[in-house]
Amino acid sequence: MGKGARKKGPKQDRKPKVRDVFVGQPFEGLVAEPELIALREFVPSATAKLTLADGGDVTLGTVLPMAAAAFVRSDGERYLGLQVQTRSSDISRDLGRALRWLQDAEPGAVLSVPDTTTPTDPDERSRLQDLLTPSAELEVALHTDFGWWLPDDADAGGDVAVSLERANAAIMPTERLGAGAYWVLAGEKAHLRWVRPEPENLLLQALARLSAAGTLGLGEGTRYAGSFRAHGLLVPVWDLDPEAHAREWAEPKDQLGARLEEALKSLDAEPLNATERRARDGLIGRQLTIR
């Protein structure tokens, strides 16, 4: 027997390989898709009640203590965490499995990481699309700290206290300006980050049409900074005047949204002209991808 055969051993001893297919748009089919992406990627402290298909009651949170996947507060309030460090190829399945874990968890229980290793059963119905009401919007509550980790009459201690202090110190001032649209003060700069629900190609054409017309900004002192892809959708970003209050951008943001809608509607009847195509190429060159 050769050395190669001795090292490999009998084929029947090997574990079968599990094919894990990457899901590029994990929240597709949910009306709250843009909001879920925003809460996962850049909103610091926020909660929202989830509408479960079976009528259950769970609170979605951006970050949980020690970046847990899920936990049950001592008062019985159940929380599902969006911003976790461990993930599989399908974030929706990870969240769905954590949500199912919550259904039987007792007060004080913590799921540190989601189940990302169990092979997928063809009959498994544990993606968010299976467990939530797909047409439900999210009513997001923003918080200035992470005090919501604890019941009103409880004090933090041990690892939770340390995690709470670190999380509070990392919060950037954030205000919600609409579905998937958030004003963020990042140091000396302010931005509008807006998760858009349209297919990327159509949205880029609409943005290019506005850019070529000189109407892509939100007013004096603002500029389109670029965009990033997150979980299958495009997130345009604008630089804003950091001296202005967040509420001052609500109306300009709505006006920009109306211009975008008009540009999107015009694409079927009026394909991009040469100037607009050059503008689109410029926008494409200012993109990043976040998985």
Side-chain angles (χ1 to χ4, degrees):
M1 181 182 294
K3 291 182 179 179
R6 288 199 300 271
K7 287 181 179 179
K8 290 181 179 178
K11 288 187 177 180
Q12 60 267 28
D13 291 341
R14 301 180 194 170
K15 292 183 179 180
K17 291 185 178 179
V18 178
R19 187 182 179 190
D20 207 8
V21 179
F22 176 73
V23 178
Q25 194 172 347
F27 306 124
E28 185 177 13
L30 297 173
V31 168
E33 180 181 19
E35 206 71 71
L36 288 167
I37 292 174
L39 295 179
R40 179 175 172 86
E41 291 304 324
F42 55 81
V43 176
S45 180
T47 56
K49 288 291 184 181
L50 291 178
T51 304
L52 306 186
D54 64 1
D57 185 24
V58 170
T59 300
L60 182 71
T62 48
V63 183
L64 302 187
M66 292 166 285
F71 87 115
V72 185
R73 276 192 336 199
S74 59
D75 61 356
E77 185 79 13
R78 300 172 186 274
Y79 286 89
L80 176 69
L82 263 177
Q83 297 180 25
V84 295
Q85 297 179 352
T86 303
R87 55 167 290 182
S88 72
S89 62
D90 185 358
I91 296 172
S92 179
R93 185 181 64 208
D94 300 343
L95 290 166
R97 285 177 172 177
L99 187 54
R100 290 179 63 177
W101 174 88
L102 276 172
Q103 294 174 353
D104 300 317
E106 298 294 329
V110 178
L111 179 65
S112 298
V113 295
D115 178 3
T116 61
T117 59
T118 302
T120 305
D121 189 312
D123 296 326
E124 181 184 13
R125 294 181 58 80
S126 62
R127 303 185 78 240
L128 285 186
Q129 287 83 344
D130 302 321
L131 304 175
L132 303 183
T133 302
S135 60
E137 301 276 2
L138 283 185
E139 294 187 13
V140 177
L142 290 176
H143 306 279
T144 56
D145 58 25
F146 287 93
W148 52 269
W149 286 356
L150 305 169
D152 293 338
D153 57 352
D155 294 322
D159 291 339
V160 173
V162 175
S163 184
L164 184 61
E165 182 179 356
R166 289 176 179 171
N168 286 341
I171 288 180
M172 293 187 294
T174 302
E175 295 288 345
R176 186 174 182 269
L177 299 183
Y182 288 83
W183 170 91
V184 181
L185 184 62
E188 297 181 353
K189 295 184 177 181
H191 308 287
L192 169 65
R193 299 169 180 172
W194 196 351
V195 187
R196 297 291 305 185
E198 298 86 6
E200 180 180 335
N201 182 48
L202 288 178
L203 179 59
L204 278 171
Q205 291 184 64
L207 291 170
R209 176 149 289 171
L210 296 187
S211 178
T215 58
L216 187 53
L218 283 88
E220 186 177 354
T222 71
R223 74 179 186 93
Y224 178 77
S227 62
F228 60 91
R229 300 185 193 92
H231 311 297
L233 294 185
L234 201 62
V235 188
V237 179
W238 285 264
D239 289 338
L240 308 176
D241 179 0
E243 299 298 324
H245 192 277
R247 61 175 172 267
E248 297 181 45
W249 301 109
E251 185 175 349
K253 171 259 173 189
D254 290 342
Q255 293 171 349
L256 173 61
R259 294 196 299 273
L260 264 177
E261 292 296 332
E262 287 298 318
L264 285 162
K265 292 176 183 177
S266 71
L267 292 174
D268 285 338
E270 303 173 42
L272 297 187
N273 58 37
T275 301
E276 292 168 337
R277 288 196 297 271
R278 286 194 296 271
R280 179 193 57 191
D281 293 341
L283 297 179
I284 291 174
R286 295 153 71 181
Q287 286 181 319
L288 296 173
T289 300
I290 295 177
R291 283 190 173 183

